[in-house]
Amino acid sequence: AGMLLGSEPSQPFTRSAPQIARAIASGSDNFLAVFQDERTERNGLRAARMTPTGTLDPESLELGAGNSPDVAFGSGVFAVVWAAGGPLRLRRVGEDGSLPASTPLEVATSAYRPAVTFDGRDFMVAFQRGTTLQGRRVSATGATLEPEPFEINGVLPLSLDIAAGPTAHLVVWSELRSGRGEEIYGRRIAHDGTALDPISFPIGTGEGDQQSPRLAFDGENWLVVWSETSPSSPSRVRAARVAGDGTVLDPLGVVVRTAADDDDILREAEVTFDGSHFVVAWFEAERTFADGRETSRTTFNAVARLTPGGVLVDETPARLGPREPEYWTSPGLGIASNASGTVILDSSHDPRPDLRAMRATLYSVSTVEGPGAPCVEGRMCASGFCADGVCCESECDGECETCSSDGSCGLRDASPECRPAADACDVAEVCTGDSPVCPPDDRIPMCGGPTDGGGVDGGPIADGGAGADAGSTPEASGGCSVHGARSRDLSALLLALLGLVLATRRRQSS
């Protein structure tokens, strides 16, 4: 009848169409974010580029209507795929923000849950079709390469993802098997679309549900991440590496994060490779209850890194957020990296009275180390310099320079050896403590130079020329021998010393 029935103040309808973050990919420099936006049509999809410094396109691109999009980059274009209520469509977006084709390409009919990757030449799209997992290749110019989609696995995937390696794609998915919960399986598909594994292989199994797998490739192995829920233990984020030959290198999985309490929630795990680490992001909710009712909730996105060897770097993850608690159920967390950095795509609530709506939001995050942090190579450091196992503020490449624990470059002490002896005729040089440069190379004086033709003491040879064999040469045993005229001078010296010793003994005996 138009009467206000509640005592709380009414709130106006949202005056701006909500945006829901969906997918992100990195190009050679810029990133492309794909989000749902209903400003012009229901389930409308749009895309916007972001530079590594955070500059966005002034206007986003309208792609079409649909849901569940994914995006990959290759040959100078982004390929965006999505389900459009039956048809599965793909649209290319140029790195310059252009749309090379006026209409989307239809990849398949009656298809859902698409995922896309690029193998260096073509795009590969994996998707659910009916009760099977199927795929189809699309060229970088936007043409399908098979007359019809081909089957990847005869199972209904509840969620799926795909990533390319040098010779094969790895397709991962979750499925229900008789008598067990949701589990993670995978299968390798060659770049030409043929299956390399006779059957699928398990990646994440066990008690409870293993859900929503995502994966990234580091140049040698894939890392698969997923969220795990179990009635007997807190929620977890797990990961497992898969080698190029399909071997699961972490059959028990690597625990990336365990919820502090049974009531806490971990989900939406995503992963990228930033050039030195796998970077894992996920949604987390910390909840407290009293008398069976939830009394508080803190919601945020968390980020942690793993080495290519599968070792967790960050025992305590970094936090992004908080997310607005009333919108914690919103899906769409995404992460991507390139040589310029790492970007996370998410949705956040804008509380402005004239907006009061969800907005797709991009966060540029640092996943490299600051000065003084341990490192193996320069790409792990924000400065780009790794010296003596420490991220250094400068190159610090002098023989007598070292990087201190605070990341500053300084002189080594006066004792460390900076140039080892090359042979028995050489001496080792040590740092002086007042120069970044190692002292000049020096040799044992009685050996002379390697080809100077000098005598034993380095002086001229009196009774022989500086022939081809003159000079000192290291023997195979590491000793130093003297050839030519040097050998004769040394023999005469030894005979003279022997005569002196004999004469001394005769005087003592008499």
Side-chain angles (χ1 to χ4, degrees), residues 399-487:
E399 303 99 323
C400 292
E401 287 184 303
T402 185
C403 195
S404 62
S405 59
D406 64 357
S408 61
C409 189
L411 297 176
R412 293 186 185 274
D413 296 334
S415 58
E417 182 180 287
C418 56
R419 185 185 298 112
D423 51 54
C425 290
D426 196 13
V427 294
E429 280 76 34
V430 297
C431 295
T432 62
D434 57 10
S435 172
V437 181
C438 192
D441 196 6
D442 198 8
R443 297 177 66 81
I444 298 173
M446 75 174 298
C447 287
T451 58
D452 63 4
V456 173
D457 60 358
I461 298 173
D463 58 351
D469 62 348
S472 63
T473 58
E475 298 283 16
S477 62
C480 184
S481 67
V482 183
H483 295 280
R486 296 182 182 208
S487 180

Side-chain angles (χ1 to χ4, degrees), residues 131-427:
T131 58
T132 63
L133 175 58
Q134 298 188 11
R136 198 172 190 184
R137 296 178 302 146
V138 177
S139 71
T141 57
T144 54
L145 299 179
E146 288 88 14
E148 291 291 332
F150 55 86
E151 184 174 296
I152 295 174
N153 211 70
V155 66
L156 174 64
L158 302 179
S159 58
L160 62 96
D161 200 12
I162 184 172
T167 60
H169 309 280
L170 179 61
V171 185
V172 296
W173 64 91
S174 64
E175 63 174 85
L176 286 171
R177 296 210 170 184
S178 178
R180 299 202 295 267
E182 204 169 331
E183 297 179 331
I184 310 297
Y185 289 83
R187 196 174 191 185
R188 293 174 305 139
I189 306 297
H191 290 177
D192 64 3
T194 59
L196 297 179
D197 302 300
I199 59 173
S200 61
F201 53 87
I203 297 175
T205 61
E207 183 186 18
D209 290 317
Q210 325 295 315
Q211 299 171 315
S212 302
R214 297 291 184 269
L215 75 162
F217 187 71
D218 69 356
E220 183 175 355
N221 301 313
W222 290 279
L223 184 77
V224 185
V225 301
W226 66 91
S227 56
E228 173 187 281
T229 58
S230 171
S232 62
S233 61
S235 299
R236 289 186 175 90
V237 173
R238 284 191 185 268
R241 293 169 301 142
V242 179
D245 63 0
T247 302
V248 179
L249 301 176
D250 307 296
L252 299 180
V254 177
V255 177
V256 179
R257 175 70 166 166
T258 299
D261 190 90
D262 289 345
D263 294 322
D264 294 348
I265 296 171
L266 305 178
R267 69 179 196 185
E268 293 180 38
E270 290 282 347
V271 62
T272 185
F273 184 69
D274 70 359
S276 61
H277 298 96
F278 287 108
V279 185
V280 184
W282 65 92
F283 166 77
E284 190 161 341
E286 294 177 346
R287 304 185 296 171
T288 57
F289 288 79
D291 299 325
R293 299 182 60 185
E294 182 178 326
T295 57
S296 68
R297 173 185 292 161
T298 301
T299 57
F300 54 90
N301 294 322
V303 183
R305 297 165 301 164
L306 280 79
T307 68
V311 178
L312 182 64
V313 176
D314 306 298
E315 295 289 343
T316 301
R319 289 188 176 188
L320 291 176
R323 277 184 171 182
E324 291 294 326
E326 61 266 38
Y327 290 93
W328 71 276
T329 58
S330 173
L333 180 64
I335 188 169
S337 294
N338 61 17
S340 302
T342 300
V343 170
I344 290 177
L345 171 68
D346 193 21
S347 301
S348 60
H349 180 248
D350 193 326
R352 289 179 298 175
D354 62 333
L355 189 60
R356 214 176 255 120
M358 292 290 288
R359 312 305 291 172
T361 309
L362 291 160
Y363 303 88
S364 180
V365 298
S366 174
T367 58
V368 292
E369 301 286 3
C375 61
V376 177
E377 51 188 327
R379 65 182 181 177
M380 299 175 65
C381 307
S383 65
F385 301 116
C386 179
D388 303 315
V390 177
C391 285
C392 206
E393 60 189 15
S394 59
E395 193 169 4
C396 200
D397 61 348
E399 303 99 323
C400 292
E401 287 184 303
T402 185
C403 195
S404 62
S405 59
D406 64 357
S408 61
C409 189
L411 297 176
R412 293 186 185 274
D413 296 334
S415 58
E417 182 180 287
C418 56
R419 185 185 298 112
D423 51 54
C425 290
D426 196 13
V427 294

